[in-house]
Amino acid sequence: MSTISLRLPDSLHKQARKVAEKESVSINQLITLALAEKLSALMTEEYLEERAKRGSRKKFARAMSKVPKVEPEENDRLPT
């Protein structure tokens, strides 16, 4: 495990302390979780961009042509 020195504005540190206390975790755990969530979101965005580059309109149209052309059930309709 690595150690880093982190400088936070006093207001942010105060908020982190309050949230960590409320969640019954240490500030270290709170910051670790927050960083993990942010990295996950960024990595997901990159992954989806790469997947989109490999997309094919032709393959999409072929897959959609297999979907039955029926009206949605009442509870699946958009409100009008």
Side-chain angles (χ1 to χ4, degrees):
M1 193 173 308
S2 298
T3 302
I4 63 169
S5 176
L6 179 64
R7 293 174 195 222
L8 294 173
D10 291 338
S11 60
L12 189 57
H13 186 229
K14 184 177 177 181
Q15 285 179 318
R17 190 177 327 117
K18 284 182 182 178
V19 171
E21 204 170 281
K22 182 180 173 189
E23 296 295 317
S24 301
V25 297
S26 68
I27 293 177
N28 189 61
Q29 287 174 300
L30 180 72
I31 292 171
T32 300
L33 283 172
L35 179 60
E37 287 179 21
K38 182 64 176 183
L39 290 173
S40 176
L42 292 172
M43 291 169 68
T44 298
E45 186 177 340
E46 289 174 10
Y47 169 77
L48 292 175
E49 285 176 6
E50 288 301 314
R51 285 290 306 241
K53 288 177 187 175
R54 297 192 324 245
S56 162
R57 177 68 67 175
K58 186 176 179 180
K59 288 180 182 179
F60 173 74
R62 190 174 0 154
M64 291 304 292
S65 72
K66 296 176 184 178
V67 177
K69 291 179 171 57
V70 295
E71 289 293 316
E73 294 181 18
E74 189 63 37
N75 60 336
D76 280 342
R77 294 174 192 257
L78 294 174
T80 54

